[in-house]
Amino acid sequence: MNPQQLRDTATTLVAGDKGLLAMDESNPTCNRRFAKLGIPQTEEMRRAYREMIVTTPGLGESISGAILFDETIRQQKKDGTPFVKAIADMGIIPGIKVDTGAKDLAGHPGEKITEGLDGLRDRLAEYSQMGARFAKWRAVIVVGDGIPSRASIEANAQALARYAALCQEAGLVPVVEPEVLMDGDHNLERCREATEEVLRTVFDQLYTQRVMLEGMILKPNMVLPGLTCPKQETVDEVADATVRCLLRSVPAAVPGIAFLSGGQSAELASARLNAMNVRFKSRLPWALAFSFARAIQQPALEIWQGDDTHALPAQRALYHRASCNRAARRGEYSAAMENTPQFARPGA
Ligand code: 13P
């Protein structure tokens, strides 16, 4: 491990108002999203979709790092250029999802544990060889009747910390993602309570496993009411609750916090990130950035529809969402940006 290199990579990932693009959907998740739109669920379609993304002109203006899936990091553009090279040529740092998915936690109905530690040291060495400079591991915490349990929080936090330590050993910056899910009718306070307990436990484990906080990125959920909760707080209330929770639980040594979108609409994810930066940016020890999958990709996927003749408008939509989120990092996003094609780089 080279501590300075880890620090530099982590700082670069959240520098200059940019953020991460998560394009690391596993094959089952990607196929599920394709199926909803009638797109064939084949390896070639997944490759073509990712080629559309990585050839979006100007993407590097707003995106600092792209998280790939194992299948994708091994794929090439039609002209033979490896995706990793195409990404790096745009000034975007290639990253890789290294967990192998969330499975049922034994003895704890409804709860999950993320797997993937076995053989991880060897896989990290291979990904590093292929050009990846950071990695991601997602833990899933479910809120419901009597859950999350201590068992699910501790088991997931320990796995995250062991993954993070192995990443740093291999010279890769760990993106540590404990996701408290939005599914359910729980209120914002329940989400806050669960998120705070999870983050405190995760940082306790990161300390125990000797993870260097300056060389990592935290990827948490925002503090939100459940998707079906009747009371949905305002954008400013969500921003306040999220930042208050993070201030209580995330050490100042962490260079950046890059939120997942978790099923929020693309517009709300931008608006909430914007509100946090408007209200708190000058007073925070860490950068507040984004690491969205759906909130950047979904509009583009719906336009692309598996048809490459739609690639240009799909790339415009992708560029637009990435640009909106960059504006949100500066606290300069507004809903008006959604109605006027302010950001029109592809093909312009
Ligand atoms: P969403 O932004 O769609 O929640 O995805 C982020 C992610 O990387 C999930 O692991």
Side-chain angles (χ1 to χ4, degrees):
M1 137 154 114
N2 176 339
Q4 191 54 48
Q5 185 193 315
L6 290 170
R7 269 192 219 104
D8 290 348
T9 304
T11 310
T12 307
L13 285 172
V14 291
D17 299 333
K18 298 184 189 181
L20 307 181
L21 168 62
M23 48 179 291
D24 61 330
E25 298 82 5
S26 64
N27 288 348
T29 301
C30 188
N31 288 346
R32 223 174 22 251
R33 290 184 190 158
F34 279 10
K36 275 197 188 143
L37 297 169
I39 302 169
Q41 295 112 67
T42 63
E43 180 174 349
E44 173 48 26
M45 273 297 172
R46 291 190 296 272
R47 192 208 61 76
Y49 175 59
R50 268 68 180 249
E51 175 160 352
M52 183 278 290
I53 293 177
V54 306
T55 54
T56 299
L59 197 61
E61 294 164 18
S62 306
I63 300 298
S64 56
I67 315 173
L68 307 176
F69 182 59
D70 180 77
E71 178 181 272
T72 317
I73 200 171
R74 300 172 195 282
Q75 287 175 327
Q76 297 90 29
K77 286 167 47 181
K78 262 213 175 80
D79 68 8
T81 313
F83 282 162
V84 176
K85 178 168 170 13
I87 289 168
D89 286 350
M90 284 201 286
I92 298 175
I93 302 176
I96 179 77
K97 169 192 174 76
V98 299
D99 66 72
T100 55
K103 308 284 158 48
D104 290 341
L105 180 64
H108 293 80
E111 297 197 279
K112 301 280 177 195
I113 178 70
T114 300
E115 296 187 346
L117 287 171
D118 287 355
L120 183 56
R121 178 178 274 126
D122 294 341
R123 289 195 290 127
L124 290 172
E126 187 193 7
Y127 291 137
S128 168
Q129 191 77 34
M130 294 168 97
R133 287 174 49 204
F134 71 102
K136 181 194 105 172
W137 178 292
R138 172 175 177 253
V140 177
I141 304 293
V142 185
V143 178
D145 239 2
I147 58 174
S149 65
R150 260 326 277 173
S152 102
I153 293 174
E154 283 181 16
N156 277 294
Q158 197 193 41
L160 274 168
R162 289 191 54 207
Y163 136 83
L166 281 160
C167 283
Q168 291 191 336
E169 179 191 87
L172 299 179
V173 166
V175 172
V176 173
E177 181 180 8
E179 175 173 6
V180 176
L181 292 183
M182 291 175 74
D183 301 315
D185 61 0
H186 57 273
N187 62 20
L188 175 137
E189 176 54 20
R190 283 274 335 265
C191 177
R192 189 221 35 94
E193 194 182 11
T195 303
E196 189 171 327
E197 183 179 355
V198 167
L199 292 176
R200 283 177 184 277
T201 311
V202 166
F203 280 99
D204 188 44
Q205 282 294 322
L206 290 167
Y207 174 72
T208 305
Q209 300 294 333
R210 300 184 177 165
V211 172
M212 186 181 75
L213 300 183
E214 293 82 353
M216 64 163 278
I217 300 291
L218 178 70
K219 175 165 173 167
N221 52 283
M222 296 182 191
V223 173
L224 302 170
L227 276 171
T228 52
C229 177
K231 179 161 191 238
Q232 293 289 318
E233 276 73 5
T234 64
V235 165
D236 284 350
E237 285 168 337
V238 165
D240 285 1
T242 302
V243 172
R244 263 205 313 276
C245 175
L246 295 170
L247 281 169
R248 289 195 191 124
S249 46
V250 183
V254 172
I257 296 177
F259 292 103
L260 59 92
S261 58
Q264 308 172 63
S265 72
E267 292 81 2
L268 261 182
S270 299
R272 287 163 169 166
L273 176 62
N274 185 68
M276 288 181 224
N277 280 310
V278 166
R279 296 160 80 83
F280 299 100
K281 186 172 182 168
S282 61
R283 293 183 274 149
L284 298 176
W286 3 255
L288 285 185
F290 55 91
S291 177
F292 298 156
R294 283 164 286 181
I296 294 179
Q297 290 183 50
Q298 194 58 30
L301 176 61
E302 286 170 16
I303 294 168
W304 182 68
Q305 293 263 352
D307 181 345
D308 266 339
T309 64
H310 303 164
L312 192 60
Q315 290 179 331
R316 280 208 186 102
L318 195 76
Y319 181 86
H320 176 75
R321 285 261 55 86
S323 303
C324 285
N325 289 312
R326 184 177 187 200
R329 278 213 55 189
R330 294 194 297 260
E332 291 172 4
Y333 168 82
S334 77
M337 287 176 186
E338 303 295 352
N339 305 321
T340 42
Q342 302 248 346
F343 307 117
R345 167 88 186 252

